[in-house]
Amino acid sequence: MVRGLLRGAGAGLVPAVLAMAVLTGCSAEPEPDRPAGGAKAAKSAAESVTKGGTVGAAGSACALPVSFDLAANWKPEAVKNDPAFGLPKQGLVTLVCEIDAKPAGNIGFLRVWTGGGSGDDARKALEAFVAAEANSRDKVAYSATKAGEYAAAEVTYLNTGEFLDAPKKERALAFTTPRGVVVLHLGGFDSQEHEEMLPAYELAKRSVRGA
């Protein structure tokens, strides 16, 4: 019910709906996905998504070191630099693009972070990214994978921040390009939203290519 209200709520209603979520949230703790294995399921999930546009190439909403496919109705937007604080940073990378799932009916973002250099280790960059996250984490699981043709590291974990009504699943992927490290991060309002957005994440992951 809360998710439905948020999907249709105007900006002024969101704080009230979030407050209701905190008061009525379930305390059950979900198990995190294991990124190792499940390659067939991931491929099937990616192939089940209706492809929309692409992002990353020059002239697209976000200019990135790579480009990849977007699920239909997901809306990319470049993150604007704050004159006072600059762009958000986490570990070795900086937030440069947010891809909003709300036009497609979900509450969450696929976020793209970039930074570092061509010689950086993707696994170490991902570990630094997770370690720098402000919220608590639990059941962290790393694995080796691929992002398109790039060797990559992936992590799944439970976000257990104190302001959440229940722990929620999140995951991130890091790989190194000739133009530095790219991190793709998928969160979501809660674990159900996260699960519903996974096919779009898998589509992006499998379609990564040079911009």
Side-chain angles (χ1 to χ4, degrees):
M1 183 176 108
V2 173
R3 285 186 297 273
L5 287 170
L6 278 173
R7 286 170 178 165
L13 293 179
V14 171
V17 175
L18 286 173
M20 182 176 70
V22 172
L23 291 174
T24 62
C26 174
S27 60
E29 184 171 305
E31 291 294 322
D33 292 337
R34 295 186 181 274
K40 290 184 179 179
K43 180 179 180 182
S44 177
E47 292 176 345
S48 72
V49 181
T50 301
K51 178 184 169 183
T54 62
V55 69
S60 67
C62 303
L64 304 170
V66 295
S67 61
F68 53 86
D69 297 337
L70 300 176
N73 299 319
W74 282 58
K75 183 180 178 182
E77 184 175 353
V79 177
K80 295 180 180 178
N81 184 52
D82 186 308
F85 301 101
L87 292 169
K89 296 183 183 296
Q90 189 164 316
L92 306 175
V93 291
T94 299
L95 180 61
V96 294
C97 187
E98 291 187 320
I99 305 166
D100 191 358
K102 190 170 184 181
N106 288 106
I107 306 166
F109 293 88
L110 177 62
R111 291 186 167 95
V112 187
W113 305 69
T114 63
S118 60
D120 288 349
D121 183 279
R123 170 63 181 263
K124 290 181 179 178
L126 188 58
E127 290 174 349
F129 179 83
V130 174
E133 187 172 286
N135 294 328
S136 300
R137 299 162 304 283
D138 194 11
K139 299 185 179 179
V140 181
Y142 288 92
S143 68
T145 186
K146 300 279 283 186
E149 294 302 313
Y150 293 93
E154 190 169 31
V155 62
T156 62
Y157 57 95
L158 287 177
N159 184 328
T160 55
E162 61 179 318
F163 297 110
L164 298 175
D165 59 317
K168 65 189 183 79
K169 295 179 180 179
E170 299 195 23
R171 71 176 59 200
L173 172 80
F175 55 96
T176 303
T177 77
R179 295 165 57 189
V181 175
V182 176
V183 173
L184 302 181
H185 173 260
L186 181 71
F189 175 72
D190 58 19
S191 288
Q192 182 174 328
E193 293 288 339
H194 179 85
E195 292 284 352
E196 291 176 3
M197 295 189 295
L198 277 177
Y201 167 90
E202 292 293 346
L203 172 65
K205 172 182 170 181
R206 294 181 63 83
S207 63
V208 169
R209 54 198 177 271

